Amino acid sequence: MGSSKDQLPPYPNAARISDSQCYPQYTASLKCLEEFSSDKSKCQEHFDVYKECKKREREARLERNKSRSLFS
């Protein structure tokens, strides 16, 4: 029996942030929060970049799923 890494699912598991294409932006936001916990406004750029990445990721997932719909 092989490990689960032997076979990748067709789409990354959206429930695991480490599978996200936005993981680097996520970790950058967390590092910024660790550094500037008293002033979250210094991290706003990191938050915005992460939010935009997640938006693009969601749109791409919706587009992929559109072609897999059972109802069209």
Side-chain angles (χ1 to χ4, degrees), residues 23-71:
Y23 188 64
Q25 294 87 336
Y26 170 78
T27 55
S29 294
L30 290 182
K31 285 180 183 174
C32 184
L33 283 174
E34 286 176 6
E35 189 175 342
F36 299 109
S37 59
S38 61
D39 187 0
K40 291 180 176 61
S41 67
K42 293 188 181 201
C43 302
Q44 189 60 52
E45 186 176 339
H46 291 288
F47 300 152
D48 292 342
V49 169
Y50 174 65
K51 184 177 176 182
E52 189 60 35
C53 180
K54 289 301 286 183
K55 181 180 173 187
R56 286 192 311 269
E57 190 177 63
R58 179 180 175 275
E59 288 169 351
R61 187 172 59 249
L62 289 174
E63 195 61 37
R64 281 193 311 262
N65 290 344
K66 197 186 298 182
S67 65
R68 299 174 67 206
S69 175
L70 299 173
F71 303 107

Side-chain angles (χ1 to χ4, degrees), residues 11-29:
Y11 305 113
N13 182 347
R16 287 182 36 201
I17 186 67
S18 60
D19 290 339
S20 170
Q21 292 179 351
C22 302
Y23 188 64
Q25 294 87 336
Y26 170 78
T27 55
S29 294

